[in-house]
Amino acid sequence: MHRACGRISRPTHQTWQHGGVTAATHSSAFPAAADSADAVLLGLDPEQREVATTLRGPVCVLAGAGTGKTRAITHRIAYGVRSGQLMPASVLAVTFTNRAAGEMRGRLRTLGAGGVQARTFHSAALRQLQYFWPKAVGGEVPRLVERKIQLVAEAGARCRIRLDRGELRDVTGEIEWAKVTQTVPADYPAAALKAGRETPRDPAETAQIYGTYEQLKRDRGMIDFEDVLLLTVGILQDRYDIAEQIRAQYQHFVVDEYQDVSPLQQRLLELWLGDRDSLCVVGDASQTIYSFTGATPDHLLSFRTRYPQATVVKLIRDYRSTPQVVHLANGLLNQAKGRAAEHRLELVSQREPGPAPVYAEYPDEPAEAEGVAGRIRDLIAAGVPAGEIAVLYRINAQSEVYEQALADAGVPYQLRGAERFFERAEVQKGILALRGAARSAGSGNDPLLDDVVELGSQVRAVLSSTGWSTEPPAGSGAVRDQWESLAALVRLAEDFARARPGATLADLTIELEERKAAQHAPTVQGVTLASLHAAKGLEWDAVFLVGLTDGMMPITYAKTDEQVEEERRLLYVGVTRARLHLTLSWGLSRAPGGRASRRPSRFLNGLRPGSAAPGAREGAAAERGVRKRGRRGPVLCRVCGKTLTEAGELKLMRCEDCPSDMDEGLYERLREWRATQSQEQGLPAYCVFTDKTLMAIAEAAPSEAGELSMISGVGGRKLDRYGADVLAICAGGDPGGSGADDA
């Protein structure tokens, strides 16, 4: 069944009523055996059938979440083989994970196409490299680097650049990104700047480590996984005879998850193809969430430009999720912007109606975790298996509070894509330091604890010796995750101190050990705890998307429009993991009793009940701003003039990246005063003033109450309580203690 060149199939926006169609997802990984070519087509909907029967020429399948893309492409291959139009050994199907490749091989075997090669890009390239190396280069194939991170560490040492564990992981990731984007060490600084990457070290230092790492591999006759692709590309470019031998064997190509290909993988695919066009690609630009690894949807979005005669088929019938879940997913994408958003797919659920998504607001993070755990316990009691439930969060450091809440509720769980909180190296190191400090606290032999009485301050002082700081590092990656883990320890200590006034470091270490023991999950399958990135490609009956506040979703370091849009796509991926039950939740403050300063994710505006659409919300906020402060128009950065939108930037009245004219000495005096206030009043420091507010005060150096009151975060109550002290400090004097007695 062929379509006219370039013609796009357009399914009707109604439920497919053919009685033979079966669910495209949530079924056995191995479909029922087919005894003929026509039998392979049974159970496919019209669009899947078109994919399966269009065997010649370029084919682009735009497949939304839950629409049965794996079914469509495996049945396409099997139909071609069973009908005699494709020879099994002439087909190469490539995807991105060993799990996906294994699932594809299993389905193909059952469908009678067991001779087809289904591999990852790296696996296929490695087989070719091993086979052709003696002919192309001579001698034995270089050994694969078993532990890349160790070699990067050695390269750093050779360059006299010390990397901690988190930086080591992030620099390794930067080297991998550079190689898949075909960037050599000398070009890395300029390429990283152009790509807007948040680099873990100075780009020049990273380039130096990268170059030394490459030299170490050459000296030892070793290659890494990126080299496998690079060397295969090099051989195919230089040796026409070898390229032709591969092209003679593989004449038909299928690429799954095409939105995730890197420039290097695309180049390898082009060399495999040569001047032919027997290529079928499958992808969804709205599920591009790995751009930090070099993945780009550009190749998918420009497919018809490269192949004007291509057949394009859209799969939009969602067999996974209920109409209620699909409606929310579509609503998220309707607000999206950018090139990927222009190609979004409007999904149509094929399932019976289910419960509406639940939006849950909690006063703080622990309450949110307890609420989620209680809801999960209710679902399990109602018959939903624990293994069919997932809690998904933005960063791994968020897992600890949910591990604790599920353990307290007696609900088994398993962590996916991350170590258990108490098994993370930085957490173990931090607890070890706290244990040592607890032993020496009474002896007066620990200079870290001199003049530090309050438990939270003691913990912060001890953890600072392990590399933790009060301000988070810029950017994302392992360094940020490490900081978040230690910050979770600090918060735990603060909460413990509030619950048990007078508790010591020794008491805290006992509590930590008890928590560690309690959080060992049973070996049976339990509720999945995973980051949104780790959840890609998976699905559950019930999904809880947690911590959905601005600053976490989108994450605070998503600065550019495209970075924010990738965060939106990440949330879309999370929503589309749910088959039936979907809960979206957030906490208004970090800790019990904290100021309710957080707001729900902007991505939910216009979707959750009672919220205004983005445009209306911004207009209302602008009106409130005019009434409250008498401002007209947007708030502009006082340095560069850019419009400010983020809460932290609005406090500072400047962009985060713009240079600061802060009086560092004044800032430190304000912090010392705040620590005293916090201790005397038994409040967390941020309840006096946040770090951002102190920075804004130190930058403005107000001389009178009117100027101080104009700083965001200094309301009337705090002006009355702390104003005299703050103004005295700004004037260079000593605070008069006006805030100490007014608790």
Side-chain angles (χ1 to χ4, degrees):
M1 174 179 171
H2 294 277
R3 307 290 288 190
C5 290
R7 181 178 176 185
I8 303 176
S9 69
R10 301 187 183 277
T12 56
H13 284 231
Q14 59 186 15
T15 301
W16 172 241
Q17 299 294 337
H18 190 286
V21 174
T22 54
T25 62
H26 193 29
S27 59
S28 169
F30 304 101
D35 56 10
S36 67
D38 288 340
V40 171
L41 302 179
L42 296 178
L44 300 182
D45 68 27
E47 295 76 48
Q48 293 170 346
R49 181 180 286 251
E50 180 172 9
V51 173
T53 55
T54 306
L55 298 173
R56 302 295 176 184
V59 178
C60 179
V61 183
L62 301 176
T67 58
K69 65 180 178 64
T70 304
R71 170 187 293 252
I73 57 176
T74 53
H75 283 245
R76 177 183 190 270
I77 295 169
Y79 178 73
V81 170
R82 298 297 292 272
S83 65
Q85 299 181 64
L86 300 178
M87 294 296 293
S90 73
V91 181
L92 177 60
V94 288
T95 187
F96 283 81
T97 67
N98 290 321
R99 179 186 62 81
E103 179 184 354
M104 194 178 293
R105 285 193 295 270
R107 293 193 186 203
L108 289 170
R109 277 195 304 271
T110 303
L111 291 168
V116 172
Q117 291 291 314
R119 297 186 172 277
T120 65
F121 270 101
H122 284 92
S123 173
L126 181 59
R127 278 173 61 92
Q128 294 172 14
L129 190 66
Q130 290 170 332
Y131 184 82
F132 290 108
W133 185 271
K135 179 178 180 180
V137 182
E140 294 185 0
V141 181
R143 292 180 296 115
L144 274 172
V145 174
E146 292 184 3
R147 297 205 62 191
K148 182 187 300 179
I149 202 165
Q150 289 183 344
L151 204 59
V152 174
E154 185 176 344
R158 294 257 182 126
C159 297
R160 300 183 181 277
I161 299 172
R162 184 177 178 182
L163 302 171
D164 64 31
R165 184 170 178 268
E167 289 175 322
L168 193 55
R169 289 199 301 268
D170 289 345
V171 169
T172 301
E174 286 301 294
I175 291 174
E176 291 172 349
W177 172 82
K179 297 182 76 167
V180 301
T181 55
Q182 302 178 76
T183 303
V184 298
D187 295 341
Y188 169 78
L193 179 64
K194 182 178 180 181
R197 295 185 70 80
E198 293 276 3
T199 56
R201 300 286 300 217
D202 180 271
E205 289 183 332
T206 302
Q208 187 181 2
I209 296 169
Y210 176 15
T212 305
Y213 166 78
E214 291 296 301
Q215 186 61 52
L216 285 172
K217 287 197 288 94
R218 286 193 295 270
D219 292 344
R220 297 173 187 181
M222 304 177 78
I223 58 176
D224 59 26
F225 270 105
E226 289 70 45
D227 291 328
V228 169
L229 299 182
L230 285 164
L231 289 168
T232 305
V233 164
I235 289 174
L236 296 182
Q237 287 179 157
D238 295 341
R239 292 290 300 267
Y240 181 79
D241 57 329
I242 292 176
E244 284 300 294
Q245 192 172 341
I246 291 177
R247 291 166 190 160
Q249 175 173 352
Y250 295 122
Q251 299 167 25
H252 309 280
F253 297 86
V254 177
V255 184
D256 193 12
E257 303 286 6
Y258 193 54
Q259 78 278 353
D260 288 334
V261 295
S262 68
L264 180 57
Q265 290 164 333
Q266 175 64 21
R267 180 60 185 142
L268 178 59
L269 178 62
E270 291 167 355
L271 289 166
W272 282 340
L273 274 167
D275 58 1
R276 301 166 299 173
D277 63 2
S278 186
L279 171 65
C280 175
V281 300
V282 189
D284 179 8
S286 296
Q287 296 189 66
T288 305
I289 59 173
Y290 297 110
S291 65
F292 59 90
T293 68
T296 171
D298 290 348
H299 308 299
L300 174 67
L301 298 179
S302 63
F303 191 82
R304 291 191 68 198
T305 302
R306 299 197 310 277
Y307 300 103
Q309 76 280 23
T311 299
V312 179
V313 184
K314 291 185 177 181
L315 303 185
I316 65 167
R317 304 178 194 271
D318 187 327
Y319 297 92
R320 175 189 298 161
S321 304
T322 62
Q324 288 76 9
V325 172
V326 168
H327 177 73
L328 175 55
N330 288 336
L332 274 174
L333 291 189
N334 286 340
Q335 298 178 5
K337 303 172 184 177
R339 190 180 180 204
E342 294 171 2
H343 297 265
R344 60 181 174 267
L345 299 170
E346 188 84 9
L347 300 179
V348 180
S349 176
Q350 306 299 292
R351 293 193 55 171
E352 293 295 320
V358 174
Y359 296 88
E361 184 174 280
Y362 295 91
D364 50 67
E365 286 181 10
E368 182 182 4
E370 291 172 11
V372 168
R375 173 65 177 148
I376 288 174
R377 189 168 51 190
D378 292 342
L379 286 173
I380 293 173
V384 180
E388 288 294 347
I389 302 172
V391 178
L392 307 181
Y393 34 76
R394 177 60 181 84
I395 59 174
N396 288 326
Q398 292 173 272
S399 74
E400 189 270 341
V401 68
Y402 292 94
E403 293 177 57
Q404 180 64 51
L406 290 173
D408 289 346
V411 175
Y413 67 88
Q414 57 177 342
L415 278 168
R416 181 179 181 88
E419 302 159 295
R420 294 180 185 276
F421 179 80
F422 284 105
E423 292 175 3
R424 297 172 191 164
E426 62 270 19
V427 173
Q428 293 180 340
K429 183 179 179 182
I431 292 176
L432 187 63
L434 290 171
R435 193 180 299 130
R439 286 197 296 267
S440 60
S443 64
N445 293 329
D446 193 338
L448 281 173
L449 302 181
D450 288 349
D451 302 322
V452 181
V453 178
E454 189 264 329
L455 180 59
S457 299
Q458 289 180 332
V459 171
R460 285 189 290 273
V462 172
L463 294 183
S464 67
S465 69
T466 70
W468 185 76
S469 61
T470 54
E471 290 296 322
S476 58
V479 171
R480 178 67 182 230
D481 284 347
Q482 181 182 26
W483 185 91
E484 294 285 0
S485 295
L486 294 177
L489 277 182
V490 172
R491 294 195 296 268
L492 191 151
E494 291 171 345
D495 295 342
F496 183 65
R498 278 195 296 272
R500 289 183 53 183
T504 64
L505 269 178
D507 296 328
L508 176 64
T509 58
I510 293 172
E511 172 71 10
L512 290 173
E513 289 301 321
E514 290 177 350
R515 284 173 174 261
K516 181 178 179 180
Q519 289 181 14
H520 283 308
T523 55
V524 300
Q525 185 183 20
V527 172
T528 298
L529 296 179
S531 71
L532 286 162
H533 282 102
K536 178 73 167 64
L538 304 174
E539 57 188 85
W540 295 270
D541 283 343
V543 169
F544 291 80
L545 302 176
V546 300
L548 300 182
T549 59
D550 261 358
M552 191 59 74
M553 178 55 67
I555 197 80
T556 185
Y557 47 76
K559 301 292 187 183
T560 67
D561 290 344
E562 179 48 41
Q563 288 170 339
V564 170
E565 286 305 313
E566 182 150 337
E567 292 287 298
R568 189 194 307 275
R569 295 194 295 269
L570 188 58
L571 181 57
Y572 172 79
V573 166
V575 167
T576 55
R577 300 309 95 195
R579 301 190 193 107
L580 181 61
H581 304 281
L582 177 62
T583 299
L584 305 95
S585 63
W586 57 92
L588 295 177
S589 69
R590 180 190 60 76
R595 185 164 63 93
S597 58
R598 294 177 175 178
R599 60 183 180 184
S601 169
R602 71 190 75 166
F603 297 148
L604 302 181
N605 291 345
L607 299 175
R608 61 185 176 88
S611 66
R617 183 182 180 90
E618 290 162 9
E623 275 190 38
R624 287 196 300 272
V626 169
R627 288 198 301 268
K628 181 177 180 181
R629 296 189 178 271
R631 299 188 188 278
R632 295 187 180 275
V635 180
L636 304 180
C637 172
R638 56 187 169 83
V639 179
C640 70
K642 177 184 174 183
T643 301
L644 302 178
T645 57
E646 297 297 327
E649 294 179 340
L650 290 168
K651 276 185 183 292
L652 298 175
M653 293 297 291
R654 64 171 173 82
C655 303
E656 291 275 8
D657 298 332
C658 282
S660 169
D661 53 0
M662 181 177 69
D663 183 333
E664 297 283 352
L666 174 56
Y667 178 63
E668 289 304 318
R669 292 196 301 275
L670 288 168
R671 283 172 55 85
E672 291 171 4
W673 166 82
R674 183 183 64 174
T676 301
Q677 293 292 320
S678 171
Q679 182 176 333
E680 290 179 354
Q681 298 179 53
L683 295 171
Y686 66 82
C687 288
V688 180
F689 285 121
T690 66
D691 286 345
K692 281 289 193 302
T693 300
L694 290 188
M695 290 176 66
I697 294 171
E699 290 185 354
S703 59
E704 51 99 18
E707 295 176 0
L708 180 59
S709 68
M710 292 299 293
I711 295 174
S712 178
V714 183
R717 182 179 62 83
K718 290 192 177 183
L719 184 65
D720 292 341
R721 175 174 292 187
Y722 303 123
D725 277 10
V726 171
L727 291 172
I729 296 169
C730 290
D734 294 325
S738 62
D741 300 324
D742 187 16

